[in-house]
Amino acid sequence: MRKKTYAMRYVAGQPAERIFPPNAMLHVGQALPPGAPITPGPSVRVLVWNIFKQQRADWLSVLQTFGKDAQLVLLQEAQTTPELVRFATSNYLAADQVPAFVLPQHPSGVMTLAAAHPVYCCPLREREPLLRLAKSALITAYPLPDGRMMMVVNIHAVNFSLGIDVYSKQLGPIGEQLTHHNGPVIMAGDFNAWSRQRMNALYRFAREMGLREVRFTDDHRRKAFGRPLDFVFYRDLQVREATVLVTRASDHNPLLVEFAASGETKA
């Protein structure tokens, strides 16, 4: 029997809450709860980082230094250790994690830290066919200052699989939601696109969804077989700045991207 997929929500001063997938997608005209915009200003800053289960020193100082000015932090391989939960609840209004698999002490999976409460939260899991471990993804949504709703996809793609069937299968439910969302999108994370087949499948998916890829001038992204593993894709937003931070605090380097949150979006 497959384990039930859910997200754990961490909010300061409140017990952790289990969030199950919604019965309807964001686009199905349900009344959304009122919420403050993800940013009060003209831009939204996003930090994307596979944090390597916090196994290396200085991961917290990297988050404290570069995460404090970001409205969104999209982590992969995030273990819900007391230190990470404390950082998340002290600096963000909400942190949602999808447990992909449970380690001896703390579950690990994607985790989205946000400066606003999400008005939509859809956790997803896909099992690795060879190792039988799961990878997770999380779709959340936040209001922007101009009244639009921004959908955010945080993903850690399956790694060990023959061919691209399971890889494409994991992207399927995400594509279903992006297709029906009329508004800005950020899709980012560790895509494990280490083969030509995987890269082609990812770019094909991005084209079908109308997503553009964030380009990094000084590109220090972690690579496998000569191909980058971490990406940021977007739609109906404008990139202001994109940087790859170099650190030894993980086996991946963090990506820091600033988007214009309103105004001209044809970038």
Side-chain angles (χ1 to χ4, degrees), residues 60 99 113 121 194 248 256:
L60 185 56
L113 286 54
C121 180
W194 42 259
R248 293 185 179 181
L256 189 59

Side-chain angles (χ1 to χ4, degrees), residues 151-173:
M151 180 172 279
V152 177
V153 181
N154 182 358
I155 182 172
H156 190 191
V158 293
N159 195 8
F160 302 103
S161 64
L162 302 172
I164 58 166
D165 288 351
V166 179
Y167 191 79
S168 300
K169 181 185 173 188
Q170 188 182 17
L171 294 172

Side-chain angles (χ1 to χ4, degrees), residues 221-238:
R221 286 178 293 173
R222 161 78 189 279
K223 292 183 178 180
F225 305 108
R227 296 177 176 87
L229 301 177
D230 306 297
F231 292 84
V232 181
F233 295 94
Y234 66 99
R235 187 173 79 195
D236 292 343
L237 292 165
Q238 184 177 21

